[in-house]
Amino acid sequence: MPNERIIIKGTSSGLVITIGPGVWQGLIEELDSGLGQKASFFKGGRVALRVGPRQLTRPQLEAAGQVLNRHNVTLWAVESEAPGTQEAAVQLGLETDLSPPNLTVDAAQTSESQRDSLIIQRTLRSGQVVNHPGHVVIIGDVNPGAEIKAGGSVIVWGRLRGIVHAGAEDGYQEKAVVCALHLAPMQLRIGNWVSRAPADDSDHEFMPEMASIQDGQIVAESWNG
Amino acid sequence: MSATVITITSGKGGVGKTTATANLSAALAAQGKKVVAIDADIGLRNLDVVMGLENRIVYDLVNVVEGTCRLRQAMIKDKRLDGLYLIPAAQTRDKTAITPGDMIELTNQMRDEFDFILIDSPAGIEQGFKNAVAPADRVLIVTTPEVSAVRDADRIIGLIEAEEKGPGDLIVNRLRMDMVKRGDMLHTDDVIDVLAINLIGVVPDDESIIISTNQGRPVVMQNGSTAGQAFKNIAMRLTGQDVPLINFEESDSFITRLSKLFKVSG
């Protein structure tokens, strides 16, 4: 579609066709031919129209919807600043705000992509247990008596003084790391390796450290950036 | 008047919940507040003994909840202090005799009449604890400067947070400054370091507590006890007054301060 008055974009709320200034009828015809060329791309999808401040009547929107339908594309929303256009869209049962479905799409995507990591923004106290197949991030302390078991890595933005088991899932075992601003766990496990806190815990230095598997054993190194 | 319901709990037993409840109740009453202390430790009642009101028990908490008596009949008035009342626990029953809902209802009936309702929680994290915490507006967590008590306090704070009763305020009880100085006891700072909640008071270890418990006369009713003063200060903080923490290190002699200096430089 060579015309810049019609812009088709994939956004987080799906495909959005922005119709720029110009004669509405002409633009819709252009869109019609443009969609014809890319039929396979759009087929079966749904789009939203963004028409700016343009005043559109119900029949005009209906016609636009039919044009899209012919290309097997469903019109689900019309976004406009003009109240008349919004009203017409509502009468046709179309959405006028792109954000609500946007939110649901986002939520679905988020749960999918973040299945890998869990963020907890509080201190884990004695007796509290976190068990997660992916990575675990704690923003807060992990107190003595608390436990974290993560399939992947564990990052604690605070003091880590409880029991931590990273790399509990296959595939992560040796790659998993445990990082903390103050790494002083009662017991630290990565995969099948176990290390205990040194009996002398007089070390009150507040120094970020990272524990990982090196040459078949757990090694904690200070984080020097 | 709408009472503040304060539950005193700890997780671990024997750290001083009952002593704290008795003394804070008495100290608040001495400030002119109208206070009722409720012993929620059903089956192991103690608060009446510590407050010296044991011989006046006719009805108890379970009687009230079961409707055997009226609320008023179970309230024992302390004749030594105006405005101090006790509702004792039943000794012949157990924690399952009442529910968290009963406790909420009971305290709601008294809210209009009192300034403070203090509930002495049993040790543990089971039903008795849940009963005691359910009606709370504020929770005071008592711990001693021992690793095991702190661990249990941490667990309790987690449970209180889960009940959305806030993290609560901390009382560090039975601190022995001489042992702290020798490095044989956790420092208050070490306790706060783990628990990370507001410290409302530090009570020093004091023989007079044991004597007063045996006599059934809370130390705040006597003068000259450092523990009594510490409890009075906590009571003042509960009524919104700004009282600085007692600095137990002030009693350092010149020599110990001098030796500290050498330690630092050497």
Side-chain angles (χ1 to χ4, degrees):
Chain A
M1 230 174 294
N3 199 316
E4 284 190 10
R5 289 174 299 175
I6 299 174
I7 303 160
I8 303 179
K9 258 191 182 169
T11 72
S12 57
S13 27
L15 282 177
V16 177
I17 302 177
T18 307
I19 313 274
V23 182
W24 175 252
Q25 194 52 43
L27 289 165
I28 291 300
E29 279 165 19
E30 265 178 50
L31 179 64
D32 192 2
S33 63
L35 287 174
Q37 290 163 24
K38 298 186 177 182
S40 59
F41 178 73
F42 289 101
K43 201 175 173 187
R46 53 172 219 166
V47 297
L49 282 183
R50 190 170 275 160
V51 299
R54 196 190 299 268
Q55 278 292 353
L56 293 172
T57 62
R58 188 176 155 173
Q60 280 177 312
L61 284 179
E62 217 161 6
Q66 279 160 8
V67 167
L68 292 166
N69 267 335
R70 239 182 288 140
H71 298 282
N72 287 318
V73 183
T74 318
L75 178 66
W76 68 274
V78 174
E79 196 189 56
S80 170
E81 288 98 73
T85 309
Q86 286 176 7
E87 204 180 307
V90 169
Q91 283 170 2
L92 288 170
L94 298 171
E95 295 288 342
T96 54
D97 186 355
L98 300 190
S99 38
N102 175 8
L103 271 181
T104 55
V105 167
D106 260 4
Q109 282 176 348
T110 310
S111 64
E112 193 60 35
S113 65
Q114 292 197 342
R115 186 169 294 166
D116 230 11
S117 47
L118 172 72
I119 300 180
I120 295 176
Q121 215 161 338
R122 63 182 167 85
T123 289
L124 286 187
R125 295 187 179 276
S126 176
Q128 295 177 334
V129 178
V130 171
N131 207 330
H132 182 69
H135 308 296
V136 173
V137 179
I138 307 283
I139 301 171
D141 292 347
V142 177
N143 281 356
E147 280 181 45
I148 299 174
K149 188 176 174 184
S153 296
V154 176
I155 296 167
V156 178
W157 188 260
R159 299 180 177 92
L160 171 49
R161 293 185 281 202
I163 293 174
V164 61
H165 187 178
E169 299 263 309
D170 291 345
Y172 278 121
Q173 293 213 340
E174 281 183 55
K175 282 181 278 174
V177 296
V178 176
C179 309
L181 293 187
H182 181 72
L183 187 70
M186 200 114 311
Q187 202 182 81
L188 191 155
R189 300 180 208 164
I190 298 178
N192 296 323
W193 290 269
V194 182
S195 79
R196 274 179 307 135
D200 158 46
D201 66 349
S202 58
D203 170 27
H204 279 291
E205 248 179 289
F206 210 82
M207 175 179 65
E209 280 185 299
M210 179 168 93
S212 59
I213 300 291
Q214 286 175 23
D215 303 326
Q217 57 177 342
I218 296 177
V219 178
E221 291 170 305
S222 65
W223 187 267
N224 296 318
Chain B
M1 195 163 4
S2 184
T4 307
V5 180
I6 302 175
T7 297
I8 292 104
T9 187
S10 68
K12 190 175 181 300
V15 296
K17 287 179 295 297
T18 303
T19 307
T21 309
N23 280 288
L24 292 177
S25 301
L28 285 166
Q31 280 187 49
K33 304 290 177 189
K34 212 172 166 202
V35 185
V36 58
I38 303 176
D39 189 351
D41 200 350
I42 300 163
L44 290 168
R45 79 172 177 219
N46 273 163
L47 186 57
D48 52 311
V49 180
V50 175
M51 291 176 78
L53 300 170
E54 190 184 11
N55 55 5
R56 294 182 44 207
I57 296 175
V58 179
Y59 294 109
D60 56 47
L61 181 59
V62 176
N63 294 139
V64 177
V65 167
E66 291 183 343
T68 326
C69 71
R70 282 175 290 111
L71 176 57
R72 175 112 349 247
Q73 289 175 294
M75 275 191 219
I76 302 168
K77 186 178 180 336
D78 192 315
K79 289 173 182 161
R80 295 160 296 187
L81 274 170
D82 260 349
L84 178 60
Y85 295 81
L86 166 73
I87 298 179
Q91 184 68 328
T92 54
R93 304 289 292 273
D94 63 37
K95 270 71 177 175
T96 55
I98 60 169
T99 65
D102 293 332
M103 287 300 286
I104 292 170
E105 202 180 313
L106 179 81
T107 49
N108 282 345
Q109 283 175 39
M110 296 189 287
R111 273 182 196 266
D112 287 341
E113 208 184 321
F114 288 93
D115 296 302
F116 286 96
I117 301 172
L118 272 68
I119 301 173
D120 183 18
S121 160
I125 55 174
E126 296 85 13
Q127 168 115 26
F129 162 75
K130 287 176 188 150
N131 289 341
V133 166
D137 300 318
R138 284 184 83 163
V139 180
L140 301 185
I141 295 113
V142 184
T143 187
T144 54
E146 292 164 78
V147 175
S148 56
V150 172
R151 187 71 49 87
D152 288 359
D154 194 40
R155 176 96 170 98
I156 284 288
I157 295 165
L159 294 172
I160 290 163
E161 282 172 345
E163 299 266 327
E164 295 186 342
K165 297 285 182 188
D169 299 289
L170 186 73
I171 297 175
V172 175
N173 194 19
R174 263 196 239 137
L175 186 77
R176 287 184 55 181
M177 214 53 222
D178 54 332
M179 286 184 72
V180 173
K181 279 182 198 152
R182 290 201 305 266
D184 293 335
M185 185 179 259
L186 291 176
H187 195 281
T188 310
D189 293 347
D190 301 327
V191 178
I192 295 296
D193 195 41
V194 173
L195 300 180
I197 63 169
N198 178 49
L199 178 69
I200 197 167
V202 179
V203 182
D205 194 38
D206 186 348
E207 280 182 8
S208 60
I209 291 280
I210 298 172
I211 300 166
S212 80
T213 301
N214 291 340
Q215 289 175 342
R217 188 177 165 79
V219 282
V220 294
M221 294 181 183
Q222 305 155 26
N223 286 324
S225 150
T226 49
Q229 189 56 50
F231 280 122
K232 282 180 196 165
N233 288 354
I234 296 171
M236 282 194 265
R237 291 181 197 116
L238 286 173
T239 56
Q241 297 170 64
D242 193 12
V243 188
L245 287 168
I246 305 172
N247 186 359
F248 301 108
E249 286 170 89
E250 266 172 13
S251 51
D252 269 9
S253 69
F254 177 70
I255 301 293
T256 57
R257 258 180 288 164
L258 206 65
S259 64
K260 259 190 193 168
L261 253 168
F262 280 116
K263 244 184 216 164
V264 172
S265 54

